[in-house]
Amino acid sequence: MRRSTEALRRIARVAATAGTAAAMTMAFAMDAAAEPPAGTSGLTIQVLIYSGRPDPLFVIRDPARIAKLKQLLDQAAPEAAVDPAKSILPSILGYKGFLVENPGLLGGLPRQIAVYKQRVQDGGRRVLTDGGALESFLVDEAVRSKALDARALELLRTVRGDQGRTGGSPPS
Amino acid sequence: MKISIKPWAVATSVAVLLMLALGACCSVPSFTPSFWNDAGLIQSHNNCYNYANNHRTDTFAQPGRAAGAIYAGFSCPDVLAAASADGIPRLPATGTCPDNRDKIALVVAPGYDFHWYRLDSSGFWTHKPGGTDATNVDNSGNPITNPETANRGLYTDFCGYFCACSDATEGNGHEKIN
């Protein structure tokens, strides 16, 4: 009887430990899933360039830059030939585009915008084409923000085929 | 009051305690992209290391971080050492993973980044490039029969193989990564 009671106590201790571990895991996961760095006061842009290490992030808070992004998005035209249910971001090794997070719905922009080469996809999964203007704007903003180190910048330019450029374009 | 202990309850308890003490059973996973490609938290917070180990942590797991020995650079020796610190055994000379462990492969873009592949029960290799979709094709769009010869873009250095304790249930791998 005493042995059985002790066994039950051990099981209870293991269960309590497992419960604590699960709670800690959940808390960590919630922390990892927290709002992007800009929160609701800006746009957080992720440069999708790596696979294993975290991708570089930068933030746009300037209302004029946000308005410029909105202007470029408005100029993009719908692309009917693409399945809107599929992400335009390629699952490849190397440069995979930009992801703009806008939890504050600033500037009349959608909550999320994906950009890859000539294609743009908003949170509603609409696929648009803009000749690469939005991507160029975001590359310049990444350079301006110094989010990319020299090697990452070189990598981005190499895969985009614009190695000849030496810096971001001046603010418009 | 008399308390009776049922033999089946004791047996179950012993089995649970043994599993906790000895670790869970490993198995080779199947290609189940729908688990990872949720266009949300799972997809964006789990990378190639999570996918290869079939372990969802939502922390964009980094080799060596769980063991307090994260890689010192983006070279084969650095990332191999970090993964070993996480307790994942290297593939033995026989070329076969023991104990139903799953073969996973490490490659490096020298100076930039690392990447992992896993071997699925289908016999094909699959991977998850960063926060994008888990996929069964390489940079040329071809199924991956051999990660050493697959189109890997700038990930030119093939580092070697490990044997991960994966699980048949997606996301439930048993390696201690973070």
Side-chain angles (χ1 to χ4, degrees):
Chain A
M1 176 69 192
R2 191 182 299 163
R3 278 184 194 166
S4 302
T5 307
E6 183 58 28
L8 289 171
R9 278 188 189 143
R10 276 189 204 148
I11 292 166
R13 276 201 296 271
V14 168
T17 306
T20 306
M24 286 171 68
T25 303
M26 194 175 293
F28 196 84
M30 285 172 70
D31 183 49
E35 283 194 344
T40 55
S41 66
L43 310 179
T44 299
I45 295 107
Q46 199 174 353
V47 188
L48 305 173
I49 199 164
Y50 297 130
S51 174
R53 66 193 283 195
D55 286 312
L57 300 170
F58 65 97
V59 170
I60 299 178
R61 286 199 171 86
D62 178 2
R65 317 298 308 159
I66 295 172
K68 175 68 178 174
L69 205 153
K70 175 74 164 81
Q71 181 195 338
L72 291 170
L73 184 63
D74 287 346
Q75 287 169 356
E79 185 170 348
V82 178
D83 179 3
K86 288 184 66 176
S87 171
I88 62 161
L89 301 174
S91 189
I92 57 172
L93 295 178
Y95 172 65
K96 298 177 274 295
F98 288 86
L99 195 59
V100 180
E101 298 279 358
N102 180 24
L105 299 176
L106 302 174
L109 288 165
R111 187 178 300 275
Q112 190 178 75
I113 309 167
V115 178
Y116 181 68
K117 296 188 175 174
Q118 286 84 31
R119 286 189 176 142
V120 180
Q121 190 169 35
D122 65 17
R125 308 297 275 182
R126 279 190 318 154
V127 178
L128 312 166
T129 182
D130 73 341
L134 251 168
E135 186 183 66
S136 293
F137 172 79
L138 292 172
V139 170
D140 290 344
E141 290 297 316
V143 172
R144 187 197 316 278
S145 72
K146 299 183 169 53
L148 302 175
D149 61 25
R151 306 196 86 184
L153 196 57
E154 177 194 346
L155 177 62
L156 178 61
R157 286 182 170 153
T158 301
V159 294
R160 292 188 69 240
D162 57 353
Q163 302 94 311
R165 299 178 63 181
T166 55
S169 62
S172 55
Chain B
M1 186 178 73
K2 185 179 177 185
I3 298 174
S4 65
I5 303 297
K6 304 290 185 193
W8 60 264
V10 174
T12 305
S13 304
V14 168
V16 167
L17 290 170
L18 276 172
M19 275 184 66
L20 286 167
L22 301 174
C25 296
C26 311
S27 56
V28 175
S30 59
F31 182 51
T32 314
S34 57
F35 175 83
W36 303 95
N37 305 345
D38 69 342
L41 175 68
I42 297 177
Q43 183 169 328
S44 61
H45 287 70
N46 293 278
N47 63 1
C48 56
Y49 195 46
N50 289 106
Y51 181 80
N53 283 289
N54 192 15
H55 187 166
R56 174 190 171 187
T57 64
D58 295 343
T59 61
F60 222 73
Q62 300 294 300
R65 186 161 66 190
I70 198 166
Y71 50 83
F74 298 104
S75 68
C76 281
D78 284 334
V79 186
L80 285 168
S84 293
D86 277 341
I88 309 172
R90 296 289 300 271
L91 178 71
T94 60
T96 304
C97 286
D99 306 325
N100 223 18
R101 284 176 169 264
D102 188 32
K103 195 187 275 190
I104 63 175
L106 170 65
V107 299
V108 157
Y112 293 117
D113 194 19
F114 59 86
H115 183 64
W116 293 83
Y117 297 86
R118 81 181 194 195
L119 182 59
D120 286 337
S121 54
S122 63
F124 287 93
W125 292 80
T126 60
H127 61 145
K128 183 177 184 298
T132 57
D133 287 353
T135 179
N136 58 357
V137 296
D138 67 8
N139 271 25
S140 297
N142 295 321
I144 305 168
T145 55
N146 182 351
E148 297 179 46
T149 56
N151 184 340
R152 308 193 303 264
L154 295 166
Y155 295 69
T156 52
D157 286 6
F158 186 85
C159 305
Y161 296 99
F162 284 79
C163 294
C165 187
S166 189
D167 196 284
T169 303
E170 206 62 25
N172 281 8
H174 306 287
E175 297 297 348
K176 292 179 177 60
I177 62 170
N178 181 27

